[in-house]
Amino acid sequence: MTGQRVQLSLPAAHEGAVWHYRNAGVRYPMHRHVELEFNLVLRGRAAYLLDDRRYELSRHSTVWLFPTQSHLLLDQTPDYEMWILVFRPALVRRLALPIKPSTAACRELGAGPAQRQAALFGEVEGAVADPVRFNAGLAYALCTAWAAHQQTTATTFGDTVHPAVERAAKVLRDDPSHRLTEVARNAGLSPSRLSRLFREQTGVALVDYRNRQRLERFLALYRPGQRHTITEAALAAGFGSYPQFHRVFTRLLGCSPKDYIRR
């Protein structure tokens, strides 16, 4: 499943970013970016959809998200927390580490290594105001995380997504205005069977996935000062009416369209 390519907002003087993520109830669409990303789970449980595989996450799980790899965080428990680190391509090239896509991108660290990594990441985050220290710490954090990954044999292999789910996702990416009956017909299953299978394998309801694709299209269409009004962009993205668009936008992004645009 191919997600929207996003541009991460990284400070110009920094070679990446580090932050302590806590579940705040916000759902982000499937996306991808050119930066290498590393996650270390601290508390709770969740799942990642990486391309066409689903990985279950728990405390001390680590995940490598490779450049251009589509990913979607699913089913977070209320207490879910993790460290997120992203590294610019230039930093990865300079360190010359043999980091490349693998089916063994998700592994389980022991408590000791996980605690040491978490402490290191906290120190790096604390140096964010000093780019020289921050970049040196970020490079060391990348080397340390990769070394621990290579030394860990507890690998989590994800489940492959059913072809009908993949076809349904592609139909909605290409044109999210499709009705679910049309999507099911293209996927070769009944609407009820497809909806159930889609939810089981991705953790996302089919109708929510369609709405997220519509929101992505809206955000691509609407720019303040351009020819589309908010309502015109919403209708062009596949929503049936402005009230429906407003309701979906507020539920999935946690604020109204106008508040989002002002921010």
Side-chain angles (χ1 to χ4, degrees):
M1 298 183 183
T2 303
Q4 177 187 23
R5 179 171 175 174
V6 299
Q7 182 73 39
L8 300 183
S9 298
L10 304 179
H14 291 179
E15 294 186 308
V18 180
W19 68 94
H20 187 173
Y21 171 90
R22 294 178 177 85
N23 180 14
V26 178
R27 298 181 181 180
Y28 300 95
M30 176 170 276
H31 63 282
R32 53 195 170 90
H33 43 75
V34 299
E35 293 82 7
L36 175 68
E37 180 176 336
F38 174 76
N39 297 169
L40 169 63
V41 180
L42 301 175
R43 296 180 61 196
R45 303 183 68 86
Y48 253 128
L49 187 63
L50 308 182
D51 290 330
D52 64 345
R53 289 179 178 270
R54 177 187 171 99
Y55 294 83
E56 300 297 329
L57 308 177
S58 58
R59 189 182 183 193
H60 302 156
S61 292
T62 63
V63 186
W64 291 91
L65 305 171
F66 299 99
T68 73
Q69 183 180 47
S70 297
H71 50 279
L72 174 65
L73 188 62
L74 305 166
D75 300 341
Q76 302 174 65
T77 56
D79 62 340
Y80 186 73
E81 295 181 26
M82 66 179 172
W83 279 106
I84 301 177
L85 289 78
V86 294
F87 311 94
R88 291 187 189 272
L91 171 60
V92 179
R93 288 195 298 269
R94 189 172 73 250
L95 294 176
L97 297 173
I99 300 176
K100 57 184 179 180
S102 167
T103 56
C106 182
R107 296 191 175 180
E108 300 293 329
L109 287 186
Q115 291 169 1
R116 288 192 292 273
Q117 285 195 22
L120 171 60
F121 300 159
E123 291 184 18
V124 177
E125 183 187 43
V128 68
D130 182 346
V132 174
R133 287 178 56 221
F134 179 81
N135 290 335
L138 191 67
Y140 182 66
L142 174 55
C143 293
T144 300
W146 184 248
H149 176 80
Q150 291 180 304
Q151 295 166 6
T152 301
T153 58
T155 299
T156 301
F157 292 95
D159 298 323
T160 303
V161 172
H162 191 281
V165 173
E166 176 70 17
R167 285 196 298 272
K170 183 179 186 306
V171 168
L172 290 173
R173 287 197 308 270
D174 292 342
D175 185 359
S177 66
H178 279 299
R179 296 183 178 181
L180 296 185
T181 52
E182 298 171 329
V183 176
R185 185 167 59 251
N186 275 279
L189 296 176
S190 69
S192 59
R193 169 61 176 153
L194 177 62
S195 296
R196 185 166 58 253
L197 185 63
F198 199 98
R199 180 64 181 255
E200 288 174 355
Q201 297 213 326
T202 69
V204 178
L206 184 57
V207 66
D208 283 343
Y209 183 84
R210 180 183 60 177
N211 284 332
R212 291 177 186 181
Q213 296 303 311
R214 290 175 174 179
L215 285 182
E216 288 186 14
R217 181 161 294 192
F218 166 80
L219 294 173
L221 287 171
Y222 181 78
R223 294 290 185 277
Q226 293 190 3
R227 61 187 181 91
H228 286 297
T229 66
I230 293 178
T231 299
E232 289 171 343
L235 296 178
F239 290 99
S241 65
Y242 181 81
Q244 180 200 33
F245 161 72
H246 188 281
R247 184 172 61 254
V248 170
F249 194 106
T250 303
R251 179 169 61 86
L252 293 182
L253 296 187
C255 64
S256 72
K258 291 183 178 180
D259 284 343
Y260 182 92
I261 291 166
R262 276 198 297 268
R263 294 173 188 173

